[in-house]
Short mmCIF file of all heavy atoms in Angstrom, two decimals:
data_model
loop_
_atom_site.label_atom_id
_atom_site.label_comp_id
_atom_site.label_asym_id
_atom_site.label_seq_id
_atom_site.Cartn_x
_atom_site.Cartn_y
_atom_site.Cartn_z
N LYS A 258 -17.20 7.94 -2.95
CA LYS A 258 -16.63 8.03 -4.31
C LYS A 258 -15.34 7.24 -4.35
O LYS A 258 -14.57 7.28 -3.40
CB LYS A 258 -16.31 9.49 -4.65
CG LYS A 258 -17.53 10.37 -4.81
CD LYS A 258 -17.10 11.76 -5.22
CE LYS A 258 -18.19 12.80 -4.96
NZ LYS A 258 -19.43 12.55 -5.67
N ILE A 259 -15.10 6.56 -5.47
CA ILE A 259 -13.80 5.92 -5.64
C ILE A 259 -13.21 6.27 -7.00
O ILE A 259 -13.93 6.47 -7.98
CB ILE A 259 -13.84 4.38 -5.45
CG1 ILE A 259 -14.92 3.73 -6.31
CG2 ILE A 259 -14.02 4.00 -4.00
CD1 ILE A 259 -14.95 2.21 -6.20
N LEU A 260 -11.88 6.35 -7.01
CA LEU A 260 -11.15 6.64 -8.24
C LEU A 260 -10.29 5.43 -8.53
O LEU A 260 -9.40 5.09 -7.74
CB LEU A 260 -10.28 7.90 -8.04
CG LEU A 260 -9.38 8.33 -9.20
CD1 LEU A 260 -10.18 8.64 -10.46
CD2 LEU A 260 -8.56 9.56 -8.78
N LEU A 261 -10.56 4.74 -9.65
CA LEU A 261 -9.81 3.53 -9.99
C LEU A 261 -8.94 3.78 -11.20
O LEU A 261 -9.33 4.51 -12.12
CB LEU A 261 -10.78 2.38 -10.29
CG LEU A 261 -11.69 1.92 -9.13
CD1 LEU A 261 -12.61 0.80 -9.58
CD2 LEU A 261 -10.86 1.47 -7.94
N PRO A 262 -7.74 3.18 -11.23
CA PRO A 262 -6.85 3.40 -12.36
C PRO A 262 -7.27 2.60 -13.59
O PRO A 262 -7.66 1.43 -13.46
CB PRO A 262 -5.50 2.91 -11.84
CG PRO A 262 -5.81 1.94 -10.78
CD PRO A 262 -7.13 2.34 -10.18
N PHE A 263 -7.18 3.23 -14.75
CA PHE A 263 -7.36 2.51 -16.00
C PHE A 263 -6.14 1.63 -16.20
O PHE A 263 -5.01 2.07 -15.99
CB PHE A 263 -7.48 3.49 -17.17
CG PHE A 263 -7.40 2.82 -18.50
CD1 PHE A 263 -8.52 2.21 -19.06
CD2 PHE A 263 -6.19 2.77 -19.19
CE1 PHE A 263 -8.44 1.57 -20.27
CE2 PHE A 263 -6.11 2.12 -20.41
CZ PHE A 263 -7.23 1.53 -20.95
N SER A 264 -6.37 0.37 -16.57
CA SER A 264 -5.25 -0.53 -16.81
C SER A 264 -5.63 -1.52 -17.90
O SER A 264 -6.76 -2.00 -17.92
CB SER A 264 -4.89 -1.21 -15.49
OG SER A 264 -4.73 -2.58 -15.65
N ILE A 269 -8.73 -3.71 -12.09
CA ILE A 269 -8.52 -3.27 -10.71
C ILE A 269 -9.86 -3.24 -9.99
O ILE A 269 -10.85 -2.77 -10.54
CB ILE A 269 -7.85 -1.87 -10.69
CG1 ILE A 269 -6.54 -1.90 -11.48
CG2 ILE A 269 -7.64 -1.38 -9.27
CD1 ILE A 269 -5.56 -2.97 -11.05
N PHE A 271 -12.31 -2.86 -6.20
CA PHE A 271 -12.46 -2.21 -4.90
C PHE A 271 -13.71 -2.77 -4.25
O PHE A 271 -14.73 -2.95 -4.92
CB PHE A 271 -12.62 -0.69 -5.08
CG PHE A 271 -12.56 0.08 -3.81
CD1 PHE A 271 -11.37 0.62 -3.34
CD2 PHE A 271 -13.72 0.26 -3.04
CE1 PHE A 271 -11.32 1.32 -2.15
CE2 PHE A 271 -13.67 0.96 -1.84
CZ PHE A 271 -12.48 1.50 -1.40
N ALA A 310 -13.01 -1.96 -12.39
CA ALA A 310 -12.86 -1.01 -13.49
C ALA A 310 -12.72 -1.81 -14.77
O ALA A 310 -11.86 -2.68 -14.86
CB ALA A 310 -11.62 -0.16 -13.27
N MET A 316 -9.34 6.99 -20.86
CA MET A 316 -9.88 8.34 -20.67
C MET A 316 -10.71 8.35 -19.40
O MET A 316 -11.00 7.30 -18.84
CB MET A 316 -10.74 8.75 -21.86
CG MET A 316 -11.88 7.78 -22.14
SD MET A 316 -12.73 8.09 -23.68
CE MET A 316 -13.62 9.56 -23.27
N ARG A 317 -11.07 9.54 -18.94
CA ARG A 317 -11.84 9.66 -17.70
C ARG A 317 -13.30 9.28 -17.97
O ARG A 317 -13.96 9.88 -18.80
CB ARG A 317 -11.75 11.09 -17.20
CG ARG A 317 -12.27 11.28 -15.79
CD ARG A 317 -12.08 12.74 -15.35
NE ARG A 317 -12.49 12.93 -13.96
CZ ARG A 317 -11.70 12.70 -12.93
NH1 ARG A 317 -10.47 12.27 -13.11
NH2 ARG A 317 -12.15 12.90 -11.70
N ILE A 338 -15.12 6.59 -10.57
CA ILE A 338 -14.45 7.25 -11.69
C ILE A 338 -13.27 6.38 -12.10
O ILE A 338 -12.53 5.91 -11.25
CB ILE A 338 -13.96 8.66 -11.29
CG1 ILE A 338 -15.15 9.50 -10.81
CG2 ILE A 338 -13.26 9.35 -12.46
CD1 ILE A 338 -14.76 10.64 -9.90
N VAL A 339 -13.14 6.14 -13.40
CA VAL A 339 -11.99 5.39 -13.91
C VAL A 339 -11.17 6.37 -14.76
O VAL A 339 -11.71 7.02 -15.64
CB VAL A 339 -12.43 4.18 -14.75
CG1 VAL A 339 -11.22 3.42 -15.28
CG2 VAL A 339 -13.33 3.25 -13.93
N ASP A 340 -9.90 6.51 -14.42
CA ASP A 340 -9.07 7.47 -15.15
C ASP A 340 -7.65 6.92 -15.27
O ASP A 340 -7.29 5.96 -14.58
CB ASP A 340 -9.06 8.81 -14.42
CG ASP A 340 -8.72 9.97 -15.35
OD1 ASP A 340 -8.31 9.72 -16.51
OD2 ASP A 340 -8.87 11.14 -14.92
N ILE A 341 -6.86 7.53 -16.13
CA ILE A 341 -5.49 7.05 -16.29
C ILE A 341 -4.57 7.66 -15.23
O ILE A 341 -4.79 8.76 -14.76
CB ILE A 341 -4.91 7.31 -17.70
CG1 ILE A 341 -5.07 8.77 -18.09
CG2 ILE A 341 -5.56 6.41 -18.73
CD1 ILE A 341 -4.40 9.10 -19.40
N ILE A 342 -3.56 6.88 -14.88
CA ILE A 342 -2.57 7.35 -13.92
C ILE A 342 -1.67 8.36 -14.61
O ILE A 342 -1.16 8.11 -15.69
CB ILE A 342 -1.72 6.18 -13.38
CG1 ILE A 342 -2.61 5.19 -12.61
CG2 ILE A 342 -0.59 6.69 -12.48
CD1 ILE A 342 -1.88 3.94 -12.16
N ASN A 343 -1.49 9.51 -13.98
CA ASN A 343 -0.68 10.56 -14.58
C ASN A 343 0.67 10.69 -13.87
O ASN A 343 1.67 11.05 -14.48
CB ASN A 343 -1.44 11.88 -14.49
CG ASN A 343 -0.73 13.01 -15.18
OD1 ASN A 343 -0.56 12.98 -16.39
ND2 ASN A 343 -0.28 13.97 -14.40
N ASP A 344 0.67 10.37 -12.59
CA ASP A 344 1.87 10.62 -11.80
C ASP A 344 1.91 9.63 -10.64
O ASP A 344 0.87 9.24 -10.13
CB ASP A 344 1.78 12.05 -11.26
CG ASP A 344 3.04 12.47 -10.52
OD1 ASP A 344 4.12 11.96 -10.87
OD2 ASP A 344 2.93 13.29 -9.59
N ILE A 345 3.11 9.21 -10.27
CA ILE A 345 3.23 8.34 -9.10
C ILE A 345 4.27 8.87 -8.13
O ILE A 345 5.24 9.50 -8.53
CB ILE A 345 3.56 6.87 -9.47
CG1 ILE A 345 4.60 6.81 -10.58
CG2 ILE A 345 2.32 6.08 -9.80
CD1 ILE A 345 4.97 5.41 -10.99
N LYS A 364 5.44 2.48 -0.36
CA LYS A 364 4.15 2.27 -1.01
C LYS A 364 3.98 3.31 -2.11
O LYS A 364 4.41 4.46 -1.95
CB LYS A 364 3.05 2.44 0.04
CG LYS A 364 1.68 2.00 -0.40
CD LYS A 364 0.71 2.10 0.78
CE LYS A 364 -0.62 1.46 0.48
NZ LYS A 364 -1.30 1.97 -0.70
N ILE A 365 3.37 2.88 -3.19
CA ILE A 365 3.12 3.80 -4.29
C ILE A 365 1.77 4.47 -4.14
O ILE A 365 0.78 3.81 -3.81
CB ILE A 365 3.18 3.06 -5.64
CG1 ILE A 365 4.63 2.71 -5.97
CG2 ILE A 365 2.57 3.91 -6.76
CD1 ILE A 365 4.77 1.78 -7.12
N GLN A 366 1.77 5.78 -4.35
CA GLN A 366 0.51 6.50 -4.43
C GLN A 366 0.44 7.08 -5.83
O GLN A 366 1.42 7.60 -6.34
CB GLN A 366 0.47 7.60 -3.38
CG GLN A 366 -0.82 7.57 -2.60
CD GLN A 366 -0.74 8.37 -1.34
OE1 GLN A 366 -0.25 9.48 -1.33
NE2 GLN A 366 -1.25 7.79 -0.26
N ALA A 367 -0.72 6.95 -6.45
CA ALA A 367 -0.85 7.41 -7.83
C ALA A 367 -1.89 8.53 -7.93
O ALA A 367 -2.83 8.58 -7.13
CB ALA A 367 -1.25 6.25 -8.73
N PHE A 368 -1.68 9.40 -8.91
CA PHE A 368 -2.54 10.57 -9.07
C PHE A 368 -3.01 10.71 -10.50
O PHE A 368 -2.30 10.34 -11.43
CB PHE A 368 -1.77 11.83 -8.67
CG PHE A 368 -1.18 11.75 -7.30
CD1 PHE A 368 0.10 11.24 -7.12
CD2 PHE A 368 -1.90 12.13 -6.18
CE1 PHE A 368 0.66 11.13 -5.85
CE2 PHE A 368 -1.36 12.01 -4.91
CZ PHE A 368 -0.09 11.51 -4.74
N ASP A 369 -4.21 11.25 -10.67
CA ASP A 369 -4.69 11.53 -12.02
C ASP A 369 -4.15 12.90 -12.46
O ASP A 369 -3.39 13.53 -11.71
CB ASP A 369 -6.22 11.45 -12.09
CG ASP A 369 -6.92 12.58 -11.32
OD1 ASP A 369 -6.22 13.49 -10.83
OD2 ASP A 369 -8.15 12.55 -11.22
N SER A 370 -4.56 13.38 -13.62
CA SER A 370 -3.97 14.63 -14.15
C SER A 370 -4.35 15.84 -13.31
O SER A 370 -3.70 16.88 -13.40
CB SER A 370 -4.42 14.83 -15.60
OG SER A 370 -5.82 14.82 -15.65
N GLU A 371 -5.40 15.70 -12.47
CA GLU A 371 -5.77 16.83 -11.62
C GLU A 371 -5.19 16.72 -10.21
O GLU A 371 -5.54 17.49 -9.33
CB GLU A 371 -7.29 16.93 -11.53
CG GLU A 371 -7.93 17.36 -12.84
CD GLU A 371 -9.42 17.01 -12.90
OE1 GLU A 371 -10.04 16.82 -11.84
OE2 GLU A 371 -9.93 16.91 -14.02
N GLY A 372 -4.36 15.70 -10.00
CA GLY A 372 -3.75 15.54 -8.69
C GLY A 372 -4.61 14.77 -7.69
O GLY A 372 -4.30 14.75 -6.50
N ASN A 373 -5.71 14.17 -8.15
CA ASN A 373 -6.53 13.36 -7.25
C ASN A 373 -5.87 12.01 -7.02
O ASN A 373 -5.25 11.45 -7.92
CB ASN A 373 -7.92 13.14 -7.86
CG ASN A 373 -8.59 14.44 -8.21
OD1 ASN A 373 -8.74 15.32 -7.36
ND2 ASN A 373 -8.96 14.59 -9.48
N THR A 374 -6.01 11.48 -5.81
CA THR A 374 -5.36 10.22 -5.43
C THR A 374 -6.23 9.02 -5.78
O THR A 374 -7.42 9.01 -5.45
CB THR A 374 -5.09 10.20 -3.91
OG1 THR A 374 -4.49 11.44 -3.56
CG2 THR A 374 -4.18 9.05 -3.52
N PHE A 375 -5.65 8.02 -6.40
CA PHE A 375 -6.40 6.79 -6.71
C PHE A 375 -6.71 6.02 -5.42
O PHE A 375 -5.90 6.00 -4.49
CB PHE A 375 -5.63 5.92 -7.69
CG PHE A 375 -5.72 6.44 -9.09
CD1 PHE A 375 -4.74 7.30 -9.58
CD2 PHE A 375 -6.79 6.11 -9.90
CE1 PHE A 375 -4.84 7.82 -10.87
CE2 PHE A 375 -6.90 6.64 -11.19
CZ PHE A 375 -5.92 7.49 -11.67
N SER A 376 -7.87 5.38 -5.40
CA SER A 376 -8.33 4.69 -4.20
C SER A 376 -7.53 3.42 -3.91
O SER A 376 -7.40 3.02 -2.77
CB SER A 376 -9.80 4.32 -4.33
OG SER A 376 -10.56 5.45 -4.64
N THR A 377 -7.04 2.78 -4.95
CA THR A 377 -6.27 1.56 -4.76
C THR A 377 -5.30 1.34 -5.92
O THR A 377 -5.54 1.80 -7.03
CB THR A 377 -7.21 0.32 -4.63
OG1 THR A 377 -6.41 -0.85 -4.48
CG2 THR A 377 -8.11 0.16 -5.83
N MET A 378 -4.22 0.65 -5.62
CA MET A 378 -3.25 0.23 -6.65
C MET A 378 -3.13 -1.29 -6.60
O MET A 378 -2.24 -1.85 -7.23
CB MET A 378 -1.86 0.84 -6.33
CG MET A 378 -1.75 2.31 -6.54
SD MET A 378 -1.67 2.68 -8.29
CE MET A 378 -3.26 3.41 -8.51
N ALA A 379 -3.99 -1.91 -5.81
CA ALA A 379 -3.89 -3.36 -5.59
C ALA A 379 -3.99 -4.14 -6.89
O ALA A 379 -4.96 -4.00 -7.63
CB ALA A 379 -4.97 -3.81 -4.62
N LEU A 381 -1.80 -3.97 -9.48
CA LEU A 381 -0.96 -3.43 -10.55
C LEU A 381 0.49 -3.81 -10.30
O LEU A 381 0.97 -3.73 -9.18
CB LEU A 381 -1.07 -1.90 -10.61
CG LEU A 381 -2.35 -1.32 -11.20
CD1 LEU A 381 -2.25 0.19 -11.25
CD2 LEU A 381 -2.60 -1.87 -12.60
N ASP A 430 2.47 -2.68 -5.47
CA ASP A 430 2.59 -1.28 -5.07
C ASP A 430 3.23 -1.12 -3.69
O ASP A 430 3.52 -0.01 -3.29
CB ASP A 430 1.22 -0.60 -5.09
CG ASP A 430 0.24 -1.23 -4.11
OD1 ASP A 430 0.28 -2.46 -3.92
OD2 ASP A 430 -0.56 -0.49 -3.51
N PHE A 460 6.32 1.85 -14.97
CA PHE A 460 4.97 1.35 -15.08
C PHE A 460 4.30 2.06 -16.24
O PHE A 460 4.12 3.25 -16.22
CB PHE A 460 4.18 1.59 -13.80
CG PHE A 460 2.73 1.34 -13.96
CD1 PHE A 460 2.28 0.07 -14.19
CD2 PHE A 460 1.82 2.38 -13.93
CE1 PHE A 460 0.93 -0.18 -14.38
CE2 PHE A 460 0.49 2.14 -14.11
CZ PHE A 460 0.04 0.86 -14.34
N ILE A 463 4.34 6.01 -17.59
CA ILE A 463 4.52 7.01 -16.54
C ILE A 463 6.00 7.22 -16.24
O ILE A 463 6.77 6.27 -16.20
CB ILE A 463 3.81 6.56 -15.26
CG1 ILE A 463 2.35 6.32 -15.57
CG2 ILE A 463 3.96 7.57 -14.16
CD1 ILE A 463 1.71 5.40 -14.60
#
Side-chain angles (χ1 to χ4, degrees):
K258 292 183 199 300
I259 51 178
L260 177 60
L261 297 179
F263 169 82
S264 133
I269 303 306
F271 189 94
M316 57 190 287
R317 192 177 184 85
I338 302 156
V339 180
D340 203 350
I341 52 174
I342 296 174
N343 185 65
D344 185 30
I345 42 180
K364 191 175 190 304
I365 287 170
Q366 229 165 45
F368 306 90
D369 69 5
S370 56
E371 291 161 22
N373 305 305
T374 312
F375 283 93
S376 306
T377 178
M378 289 286 109
L381 285 184
D430 62 324
F460 168 68
I463 303 157

